[in-house]
Amino acid sequence: MNAVDLKTFVKFAGLDALYWAFIAAFAGYASAYLLACGLSAGVLSLMLACYMGCCFAGAFFWGGLCDRKKTNRRVFLFEFTAAAAAAMAVWFMASKNVWIAAALYPLFGFLFAPLGSNLDSWMLRSFNRDASVYGRARSLGSVGYAVMMLVMGRLISSFGYVMMPVMAGAAALAVLVLAFFTAEMPYEERKGAAQKANTKDLLKIRPYMFLLVILFFTGLAASPFNNLKTVIISSVGGDVSVLGLDAFIGVMVQAVFIFISGSMRRYPSDLRLFVMCFCVLVTMALTYTAVAPAMVILGTVFNNVSYGVMLPTMREITEKNVTGPLKNTAHSLSDAMYGSFAGIIALTYSGTLMDAFGARSVALLGMGIMLVPVVISLTVILKNRKAKA
């Protein structure tokens, strides 16, 4: 397996699958649970905006800590333990005082959000920066998320939200045990000026900055769809079991595209970014015209095609263009630009917009927003082709 031994691959594939199963068991249903406990869509949206703000701060803090301490494993173990404890506290408090739970949820975001990029960076180093091997292992993380979302939808429908801490706790324990026994490759030693690099140096890397711009606009449109899906599904007659089915189908499609990411590298990264943006535009159009859960699920499929193309591509662009002791920070920043920085802005208004004009109103706005990255990425493609002619 391209100089990566099977044991290492299996360990990381299993670790990633269990990690994303934990995320599905808790974060995947947290919004639905808090709505069931009495939060309105508007308040939930504002809470998620605060959560995204803490995610963004956490990306810099934990990514920078990994770079300074030259370890992903030790930071991951501490950070994941704290995130799992915060998740349990949110669930417990929601049934007692939903406002305290809403106040605790941003703390979970500060701890949880950088974990995915931390784990990805740990895997990439262990796989000798081989993107194709990384894609195969990371695809199993998507499978873990998809299966857990489907299972949780059925369990919650049958037994209630008490299944959240049961399943999330079991997955979290398995993650900690496996992570504890998974080795870490030493950080690459660099001397001289590279050691003095700071975050501002990332702003000088044009391909990386272009990536951040595309991620920001895409995240701005997709954030309400990703974080308030339960409201959208409910507006067309779906319930929590449909939410689980929606995630299962969508993320299984995502897994396929992440798995074949090595083969997709034959296509230029600018073309892949255009495909990513266009798929989200289709998602917004399907959501806006949806009259049944099936149309929302189809939109989810396109959204996950987008993410399945985006994740390996943004890891590739970062690994290729960011050198020195800033890789963890750069990976965390790209994740935060799509998931939290854009989300902070989008979620400050999306819940209120939904309350006032209906769930599909955010999709109409998202269509307008997505025209920006679609046009930008298409312009770059044409410019690059012209330069090569």
Side-chain angles (χ1 to χ4, degrees):
M1 189 175 284
N2 295 329
V4 176
D5 66 90
L6 182 60
K7 183 178 180 181
T8 299
F9 176 85
V10 169
K11 276 189 175 182
F12 277 106
L15 180 58
D16 210 54
L18 289 167
Y19 164 74
W20 284 104
F22 163 78
I23 297 305
F26 176 72
Y29 288 91
S31 292
Y33 177 51
L34 291 171
L35 286 171
C37 289
L39 281 188
S40 67
V43 175
L44 176 65
S45 182
L46 290 174
M47 181 206 77
L48 289 173
C50 295
Y51 159 84
M52 291 295 182
C54 290
C55 290
F56 190 67
F60 283 98
F61 178 81
W62 296 106
L65 185 64
C66 290
D67 286 325
R68 290 194 303 274
K69 299 297 184 180
K70 300 186 182 302
T71 176
N72 292 103
R73 178 177 174 274
R74 284 182 292 156
V75 173
F76 180 89
L77 284 167
F78 174 80
E79 187 185 355
F80 183 81
T81 301
M88 297 304 155
V90 169
W91 182 88
F92 178 79
M93 288 306 307
S95 61
K96 309 294 181 183
N97 189 317
V98 71
W99 296 102
I100 295 178
L104 286 173
Y105 199 69
L107 172 62
F108 171 73
F110 178 80
L111 295 163
F112 142 74
L115 280 168
S117 52
N118 186 349
L119 181 55
D120 282 357
S121 185
W122 182 5
M123 282 198 291
L124 280 163
R125 285 193 298 109
S126 299
F127 295 157
N128 302 314
R129 308 289 180 189
D130 190 319
S132 62
V133 177
Y134 160 78
R136 292 176 210 146
R138 178 59 182 80
S139 68
L140 292 178
S142 296
V143 172
Y145 183 93
V147 171
M148 182 62 85
M149 284 295 293
L150 182 63
V151 170
M152 285 295 295
R154 301 296 175 85
L155 288 175
I156 291 172
S157 294
S158 300
F159 303 105
Y161 287 100
V162 70
M163 297 308 300
M164 286 176 65
V166 174
M167 300 301 288
L173 182 61
V175 167
L176 288 172
V177 170
L178 189 54
F180 184 82
F181 289 103
T182 300
E184 180 175 27
M185 293 285 287
Y187 263 57
E188 301 90 340
E189 290 293 331
R190 293 182 174 89
K191 300 180 181 180
Q195 294 287 354
K196 299 178 182 179
N198 58 63
T199 306
K200 292 181 180 179
D201 293 330
L202 295 174
L203 305 180
K204 303 173 185 177
I205 305 172
R206 291 186 65 182
Y208 181 74
M209 287 303 300
F210 170 67
L211 170 67
L212 293 186
V213 170
I214 296 297
L215 291 175
F216 169 72
F217 282 105
T218 305
L220 193 64
S223 186
F225 185 82
N226 292 333
N227 292 283
L228 297 171
K229 177 68 69 64
T230 184
V231 179
I232 295 171
I233 286 179
S234 296
S235 72
V236 291
D239 57 16
V240 69
S241 63
V242 175
L243 180 65
L245 180 63
D246 170 89
F248 175 77
I249 294 173
V251 180
M252 287 300 291
V253 171
Q254 176 195 123
V256 171
F257 279 86
I258 294 176
F259 184 83
I260 64 172
S261 59
S263 300
M264 289 170 57
R265 294 185 70 187
R266 72 184 67 175
Y267 302 105
S269 60
D270 54 5
L271 177 59
R272 282 177 272 155
L273 291 176
F274 170 75
V275 170
M276 175 195 93
C277 296
F278 185 77
C279 284
V280 176
L281 180 60
V282 173
T283 296
M284 296 298 108
L286 286 168
T287 304
Y288 180 67
T289 57
V291 294
M295 292 184 70
V296 177
I297 292 173
L298 183 58
T300 298
V301 169
F302 277 95
N303 193 45
N304 279 276
V305 170
S306 171
Y307 192 83
V309 173
M310 178 188 76
L311 181 66
T313 301
M314 72 182 192
R315 294 289 183 247
E316 175 192 330
I317 291 172
T318 302
E319 286 289 324
K320 181 179 178 180
N321 294 282
V322 178
T323 57
L326 282 174
K327 284 190 183 291
N328 282 290
T329 301
H331 284 304
S332 295
L333 179 58
S334 60
D335 286 348
M337 189 61 67
Y338 171 82
S340 55
F341 183 62
I344 295 169
I345 300 172
L347 291 169
T348 56
Y349 61 76
S350 55
T352 303
L353 197 63
M354 285 180 166
D355 286 338
F357 301 104
R360 287 181 289 183
S361 59
V362 295
L364 180 61
L365 180 59
M367 289 170 64
I369 292 171
M370 282 311 300
L371 290 175
V372 177
V374 166
V375 170
I376 291 174
S377 56
L378 182 59
T379 301
V380 170
I381 289 173
L382 295 174
K383 183 179 178 180
N384 289 342
R385 299 302 177 271
K386 184 177 180 181
K388 292 178 181 179

